[in-house]
Amino acid sequence: MRRLGKERFHKSQHFNYSSGVPMLVGSEKPGIGGEHLVGQEIKPKYSVYPIGSGTGLPPWVTFDKQVLCFDAYFQETVPEAQSETYRIRKCKIYFFLEDDTIQVVEPEYKNSGIPQGTLIRRHRIPLPPPNEGQFYNLFHFNINQQMKLHSRTFTVTDCDSFTRNFLTKLGVHVNNPTTVPEDPYSSLREQLKKSMQPLRPYERHDTLKQFLDHDRKVLRFYCFWDDSQSIYVDLRELILHYFLVDDTIEIREVIPPNSGRDKVNKFLRRCRLPKHVPAKVKQPGEITDRTVLNVLTSSTMGNRYILDSLKTGAVHEEFYKDCDLIIGGEVNVWGRRVILADCDDFTKHYYRAKYGIEDFTPLQYKAPPAPKPPRPVPPYNGFGSEEDSLSFCQHLLPKPPRKDFQKFMAKDRYGLDSKVLNFQAKMITADPVDRERVFIISFYLSNDTISVFERPQKNSGVLGGKFLERGRVKKPGQELFKSQLSQYFTAQDLYVGATLCLNSINFQLLDADEYTFKYMEQHAEEFPRANMGIIISKLRSLPEEKQCEIRKFLTLSDPSNTGFIPFESIRSLLLGLDCNLSEHEVLVLGRCFSEREQTQVDVGLMLAVAQDFLKKKAFEEFPKMARAFADHDRHKTQRLSTKAIRTICKAFHLPVPNSLLEGLLSKFADGDEIDYYAFLAGINWLEHPAPPVMPEDTLKFEVDVGFDGGRAAVKNINYSAFLQDAFSLPSNSSDTSA
């Protein structure tokens, strides 16, 4: 009956591997179901801080990477040695606060002959008998006391500052540090080491500092060797490398092509270059820094030598240093007269910083190169493109013309940023029918191509659609068969009010979309007609009489003193002035000083157009989209973020233009969340069909061009701010006589 309602009946595992040896480890394991046996006491896992005491965090989080460090030693008996009877071994005791584990590490000493390192691996150590059921905790540690760890007695001598502060905060009185007794064997080793040191050591040249300061630093000089004594009497161009790390010199020869000389690896291998060539080259071993003196020669006792402290036999030889290398100077390279003519920028900076030299005038030692004969390019023959025909004249094996890949990557479409400038234009002609036709001229910034699209108009008698294929268009008035490349229309040639001649047809740009105006204003350094600084400078260049006339006109145009006047009034005024302002510049000026009204699009029309796109593409994945929305809605609120809705629509390849999709998401958004059931119900043409739409409505979203950012969006102008910025005049409307 005592097992009634019990759910756990597992048995503890009593056999395991310890250090690779199978053994019985279940003496401390509980019985069936984790219940303690009769008379069994389970050792606690946490000796000081059990789970639930102190802060709410577990010890392995609270005391993570916090370790107490103690200095200690233990005495080891050496029974079989004559020179020592015991040995003092220093070690470090680490106490890990996160799990009360202890690790003992002995620092390794050179040539000690004793296995050192980790003496006791990290684990919980039980107390000595009769308290073997308990473990060491941090309250068992203190300075100037002994601890028995696995039958080895350690004496704690000191601790670090963190350990002392930690124990003091817990209320533990930390004892004063004690000294470590002298180790006889260590003292003997120190005496032996001192006795082995020579009384007269060899002189050491410490080159480490020079290596650390000047590693990988090389001076480069351009020089020449005047080999006038040879039968050819020519100059040999050389490059001298001076390595600051060890004061060595390397010389390489510059062999021009088709010179008739064999190319060698190095003119002079890397070495220290002597200033004066010796009469006789020394053999290996003849040049030494120190000499020895024979103080005893005996047939029975042998020879005895001592070092010559006076260095009487030392050979002193001068080598080239960095201070000896100057432009215009000479270097004796084993009898060859090498003249330094020039150096690189790093060498100039080095001599300027170290020696204060400022004159680095190069030495002219060779005639300037002969000018290349002109290579006239034959005129274009009319076959293929001009760039492709030019490559046949520049290369023996013709190559295709290279495209500007960097410009393509920088100004290609990225996400919703189309990098396409769209303008509304009309044809300049006397034909009344062609005069009413509306065109959309698109300029692609990635490759400077132009396409023309004609908007269809109801009952106009003209079929709309593609009017000009996308491609680069040449500027008019250029000769066809010429040697120079033709000039093409660029982005700076397109602006509101400009006249373009595209394939012998003149178009006048009347307006631009909002994206075009914003892009040109954001990149005003590329488009001068959208640069407010240039526009203001043109207005300030007007004489004082016209500036006063402008101020008087603007003040009289606002009889109610509202501070705003219609844009058309100031537009007609600025275009009538002789200040070279184009229609585009006037629009930019009006956009800067006005509060433009945003055109609102009917949500019903947007949903009807979206259903028309989905119906034409036969899209019927609405149940799967509903399940995808429900899977992402983990809190079951029937609402998701705009980013999640957009991602799911892209994943299902929703056949809707980006502009239309972004418009629908903005209409359905409530803050940053969208009711996805309402969004699906609006675009579901199977269950909630919308009325049919006209072709021009679908075309407006498909072409993704809305000309509402120019003249139509600018209503009123704040002429007070305009006068203040343009002419730096105070906006006092009462002074009308100025």
Side-chain angles (χ1 to χ4, degrees):
M1 295 297 293
R2 64 185 182 89
R3 295 187 177 181
L4 185 63
K6 188 175 181 179
E7 297 180 355
R8 302 175 61 187
F9 298 95
H10 67 276
K11 294 183 179 181
S12 301
Q13 182 178 354
H14 292 268
F15 296 92
N16 201 348
Y17 283 87
S18 178
S19 300
V21 179
M23 59 178 59
L24 176 66
V25 295
S27 60
E28 300 178 356
K29 297 294 183 70
I32 298 176
E35 296 181 355
H36 296 178
L37 300 178
V38 178
Q40 185 181 28
E41 294 182 0
I42 303 299
K43 296 181 180 180
K45 294 184 178 180
Y46 302 95
S47 58
V48 179
Y49 300 106
I51 299 178
S53 64
T55 61
L57 298 176
W60 57 272
V61 175
T62 306
F63 302 107
D64 183 29
K65 297 181 180 180
Q66 296 187 12
V67 184
L68 304 184
C69 178
F70 298 90
D71 296 333
Y73 73 92
F74 66 95
Q75 181 175 340
E76 184 181 35
T77 305
V78 185
E80 298 180 356
Q82 297 180 357
S83 60
E84 55 178 345
T85 58
Y86 67 93
R87 184 173 298 166
I88 302 298
R89 300 177 62 177
K90 303 176 183 178
C91 57
K92 295 276 188 180
I93 300 178
Y94 298 101
F95 183 83
F96 297 86
L97 295 173
E98 56 180 308
D99 52 0
D100 294 352
T101 55
I102 300 175
Q103 182 183 12
V104 181
V105 179
E106 182 182 7
E108 296 184 0
Y109 293 95
K110 185 178 181 181
N111 298 328
S112 64
I114 304 174
Q116 296 174 332
T118 303
L119 299 181
I120 301 177
R121 62 177 179 83
R122 178 181 172 181
H123 67 289
R124 300 182 67 196
I125 300 179
L127 295 173
N131 299 322
E132 62 271 8
Q134 301 178 7
F135 296 91
Y136 277 101
N137 56 53
L138 59 92
F139 293 110
H140 293 100
F141 287 84
N142 207 330
I143 299 177
N144 198 5
Q145 71 174 14
Q146 293 185 349
M147 302 179 62
K148 191 173 184 181
L149 306 178
H150 292 311
S151 70
R152 182 173 285 175
T153 303
F154 294 85
T155 303
V156 182
T157 60
D158 200 357
C159 64
D160 57 0
S161 59
F162 171 77
T163 305
R164 183 180 296 273
N165 295 334
F166 189 85
L167 293 177
T168 304
K169 291 180 180 179
L170 291 179
V172 178
H173 176 69
V174 182
N175 301 328
N176 296 326
T178 183
T179 59
V180 181
E182 184 179 357
D183 184 16
Y185 180 73
S186 300
S187 302
L188 179 61
R189 288 290 301 270
E190 290 293 334
Q191 295 178 2
L192 292 176
K193 185 176 180 181
K194 292 180 180 179
S195 63
M196 289 188 299
Q197 293 181 355
L199 299 178
R200 295 182 179 181
Y202 287 94
E203 294 182 357
R204 297 183 59 185
H205 299 281
D206 188 9
T207 59
L208 180 61
K209 184 178 184 304
Q210 184 179 2
F211 172 79
L212 296 177
D213 293 342
H214 301 290
D215 185 28
R216 303 177 66 87
K217 294 182 180 180
V218 183
L219 305 181
R220 177 185 296 177
F221 291 90
Y222 303 99
C223 49
F224 65 94
W225 169 33
D226 189 4
D227 192 12
S228 58
Q229 298 179 359
S230 63
I231 59 176
Y232 300 105
V233 190
D234 59 344
L235 297 178
R236 307 279 289 273
E237 296 185 33
L238 306 173
I239 296 179
L240 186 145
H241 293 154
Y242 183 88
F243 297 87
L244 296 172
V245 69
D246 54 359
D247 299 328
T248 55
I249 293 178
E250 174 190 82
I251 301 179
R252 294 177 178 270
E253 184 176 2
V254 180
I255 299 179
N258 301 326
S259 63
R261 296 185 179 274
D262 294 334
K263 185 176 182 180
V264 295
N265 186 18
K266 295 179 182 179
F267 186 82
L268 175 68
R269 66 175 180 84
R270 180 177 175 180
C271 63
R272 298 180 67 189
L273 184 62
K275 290 185 178 181
H276 308 287
V277 180
K280 181 181 178 181
V281 179
K282 300 290 185 180
Q283 297 296 326
E286 294 187 17
I287 302 177
T288 58
D289 295 334
R290 300 292 295 272
T291 57
V292 294
L293 300 178
N294 188 357
V295 297
L296 178 62
T297 302
S298 174
S299 59
T300 58
M301 300 180 61
N303 300 329
R304 296 292 184 271
Y305 301 94
I306 63 173
L307 290 175
D308 182 12
S309 60
L310 300 178
K311 302 180 182 180
T312 57
V315 179
H316 300 280
E317 190 173 5
E318 295 185 9
F319 296 93
Y320 278 102
K321 300 289 186 179
D322 55 350
C323 57
D324 301 324
L325 305 178
I326 58 174
I327 296 179
E330 297 182 4
V331 178
N332 185 5
V333 183
W334 298 101
R336 294 173 176 82
R337 181 169 169 265
V338 176
I339 301 175
L340 305 180
D342 199 2
C343 60
D344 60 356
D345 295 336
F346 173 76
T347 307
K348 296 177 182 178
H349 177 73
Y350 175 81
Y351 279 93
R352 188 182 294 110
K354 185 175 182 180
Y355 298 104
I357 300 176
E358 296 292 341
D359 186 13
F360 297 99
T361 305
L363 184 64
Q364 299 295 335
Y365 62 93
K366 58 181 179 179
K372 294 183 179 180
R375 300 173 58 185
V377 179
Y380 175 57
N381 54 9
F383 292 95
S385 63
E386 297 182 5
E387 292 81 1
D388 189 37
S389 299
L390 183 60
S391 64
F392 279 82
C393 305
Q394 295 177 345
H395 304 280
L396 183 61
L397 298 177
K399 299 179 181 180
R402 298 184 61 180
K403 298 181 180 180
D404 193 350
F405 184 73
Q406 294 183 354
K407 180 179 180 180
F408 173 78
M409 293 299 297
K411 298 189 176 182
D412 190 25
R413 182 185 184 95
Y414 182 76
L416 299 178
D417 193 3
S418 62
K419 301 293 180 66
V420 179
L421 306 182
N422 298 291
F423 297 88
Q424 184 179 6
K426 283 193 175 183
M427 191 181 298
I428 302 177
T429 179
D431 191 351
V433 178
D434 295 340
R435 195 183 304 168
E436 300 298 329
R437 299 167 66 180
V438 181
F439 299 90
I440 299 174
I441 299 179
S442 301
F443 186 89
Y444 299 85
L445 297 172
S446 59
N447 53 4
D448 295 341
T449 55
I450 297 176
S451 66
V452 181
F453 183 86
E454 183 179 3
R455 281 187 171 181
Q457 299 183 20
K458 188 176 181 180
N459 299 327
S460 63
V462 180
L463 295 177
K466 187 182 298 184
F467 184 82
L468 177 64
E469 188 74 24
R470 176 180 174 180
R472 294 197 302 169
V473 181
K474 296 181 182 180
K475 292 184 178 180
Q478 301 184 69
E479 186 181 354
L480 179 60
F481 303 104
K482 60 183 182 304
S483 301
Q484 295 79 15
L485 295 177
S486 299
Q487 297 182 2
Y488 295 87
F489 282 106
T490 60
Q492 288 72 22
D493 298 326
L494 278 72
Y495 55 90
V496 178
T499 301
L500 298 182
C501 183
L502 306 179
N503 296 343
S504 302
I505 300 178
N506 294 325
F507 293 90
Q508 185 178 8
L509 305 185
L510 304 177
D511 200 359
D513 61 352
E514 180 67 19
Y515 175 81
T516 302
F517 278 106
K518 286 185 177 180
Y519 184 87
M520 297 176 72
E521 292 168 1
Q522 293 173 0
H523 301 80
E525 67 280 357
E526 301 180 15
F527 301 93
R529 300 187 183 275
N531 194 331
M532 281 297 300
I534 298 177
I535 299 174
I536 295 298
S537 63
K538 289 183 179 180
L539 291 175
R540 290 180 178 178
S541 63
L542 294 175
E544 288 291 336
E545 298 79 10
K546 289 190 176 181
Q547 294 184 15
C548 295
E549 182 180 352
I550 292 174
R551 185 182 180 190
K552 183 177 181 180
F553 173 80
L554 296 179
T555 307
L556 294 177
S557 300
D558 184 20
S560 302
N561 197 14
T562 61
F564 291 89
I565 62 173
F567 170 70
E568 292 297 331
S569 300
I570 193 172
R571 171 180 171 273
S572 59
L573 174 65
L574 294 178
L575 292 179
L577 295 176
D578 189 13
C579 55
N580 298 326
L581 286 179
S582 62
E583 182 75 23
H584 191 99
E585 292 173 324
V586 175
L587 284 174
V588 171
L589 195 65
R591 289 166 54 88
C592 181
F593 297 99
S594 69
E595 296 180 359
R596 295 177 288 118
E597 299 179 0
Q598 301 293 337
T599 57
Q600 300 293 332
V601 183
D602 186 14
V603 182
L605 178 61
M606 296 173 64
L607 291 175
V609 174
Q611 290 190 9
D612 185 67
F613 279 109
L614 297 176
K615 186 185 302 182
K616 291 179 180 179
K617 299 294 183 179
F619 183 83
E620 301 178 357
E621 303 293 336
F622 301 107
K624 294 183 179 180
M625 290 184 65
R627 288 194 296 269
F629 288 145
D631 292 340
H632 285 73
D633 186 12
R634 301 185 182 276
H635 301 286
K636 306 304 178 184
T637 59
Q638 297 184 5
R639 304 178 70 85
L640 287 176
S641 63
T642 305
K643 182 178 179 181
I645 296 290
R646 185 188 298 108
T647 304
I648 296 175
C649 292
K650 295 294 184 182
F652 278 90
H653 301 285
L654 196 69
V656 176
N658 288 329
S659 60
L660 182 57
L661 179 60
E662 293 297 330
L664 288 174
L665 294 180
S666 63
K667 294 296 183 182
F668 281 89
D670 185 9
D672 191 32
E673 294 183 346
I674 296 177
D675 186 355
Y676 54 85
Y677 280 119
F679 175 73
L680 281 179
I683 64 175
N684 193 343
W685 61 275
L686 296 174
E687 299 180 359
H688 307 89
V693 295
M694 303 302 294
E696 54 269 16
D697 296 333
T698 305
L699 187 62
K700 180 171 61 174
F701 292 98
E702 186 175 10
V703 178
D704 194 13
V705 176
F707 296 96
D708 55 354
R711 189 182 312 166
V714 180
K715 299 298 183 182
N716 297 322
I717 300 296
N718 187 353
Y719 69 92
S720 301
F722 168 70
L723 291 176
Q724 180 68 24
D725 292 353
F727 306 114
S728 300
L729 297 175
S731 58
N732 187 8
S733 58
S734 61
D735 186 11
T736 59
S737 62

